[in-house]
Amino acid sequence: MSQVGRIIVKTAGRDAGKIGVITKVVDNNHVMIEGQTRKRKVNIKHIEYTAKKIDVTENTGSDEIAKSLVQLGYKIVQKGQKSSSKEKPKSLRAQKSSIVKEKPPKKAPQEKKTTAKPKKKAPAKKKKE
Amino acid sequence: MTAPRHKSRTMRRVKRKTPGNRVVTHYKPRKPSRQRCAITGEKLHGVPQERPLGLRKLSKTQKRPERPYGGVLSSKGLREVMKQKARDIE
């Protein structure tokens, strides 16, 4: 299964879950990979093989490998680019700052209804005799 | 006499000797148990066993390993998830 061109998934380490391609078989236990991870030597126990394969040799450049992986549907972030998908485009950012929320117009104070209330008379004090 | 709130076993008892040469019991809160893997159930490495105040003093990298699902899954549990992902690609 450890053939040059085989697509693999890393199962251990900081870059677990990332996809790569075998570019060279070093010995019985190690393999050189490249792809979503950086170009590096990896133990066979830390990768899992998939059924897919692409045409790659030991001397193919990293750009060509990236192109062939993108064609299969995998995203590759090149050096210097941020991988965040939460960035908003500049045009939207400019629009948001120019929009000012319109406050609803203030309602005129309602006139208080004045009804003539009868004044209560204080009870007359009884003088003690 | 012991205060009723100290009779609970959630507080641990510590014997201390005072300057007046008396032995008294002090009551201290217990630390929480160690965090376990969500898949395998084994104890997690790289996650400190501290109360909330102790955790708040630490930085983000000091509370979990630098790995996908770090602090949630052990290395064994992560490997099982990634192997399943490789099989789904086929």
Side-chain angles (χ1 to χ4, degrees), chain B residues 29-85:
Chain B
R30 288 186 198 273
K31 281 194 178 184
S33 56
R34 281 187 69 181
Q35 303 301 317
R36 290 181 176 258
C37 174
I39 291 176
T40 57
E42 56 193 7
K43 290 178 186 175
L44 291 174
H45 294 287
V47 182
Q49 188 185 0
E50 291 281 345
R51 300 189 90 234
L53 179 66
L55 286 176
R56 235 182 285 155
K57 291 180 180 178
L58 301 172
S59 68
K60 186 176 172 183
T61 54
Q62 287 173 325
K63 292 181 235 174
R64 80 228 185 324
E66 198 72 44
R67 189 173 65 213
Y69 295 99
V72 177
L73 298 181
S74 62
S75 55
K76 237 185 198 178
L78 177 71
R79 216 165 283 165
E80 287 182 28
V81 170
M82 291 303 154
K83 280 181 178 174
Q84 194 60 48
K85 183 181 174 182

Side-chain angles (χ1 to χ4, degrees), chain A residues 2-51:
Chain A
S2 60
Q3 301 151 5
V4 173
R6 173 76 54 191
I7 289 179
I8 54 101
V9 175
K10 272 217 80 191
T11 57
R14 278 183 299 181
D15 44 5
K18 294 198 175 166
I19 283 147
V21 176
I22 296 175
T23 55
K24 187 184 173 186
V25 178
V26 176
D27 54 24
N28 285 341
N29 300 323
H30 295 95
V31 160
M32 291 290 290
I33 64 164
E34 200 171 343
Q36 286 182 341
T37 62
R38 61 187 171 93
K39 193 174 177 182
R40 58 174 297 179
K41 189 172 96 172
V42 144
N43 197 322
I44 285 169
K45 286 181 185 176
H46 299 158
I47 58 174
E48 185 73 16
Y49 304 107
T50 62

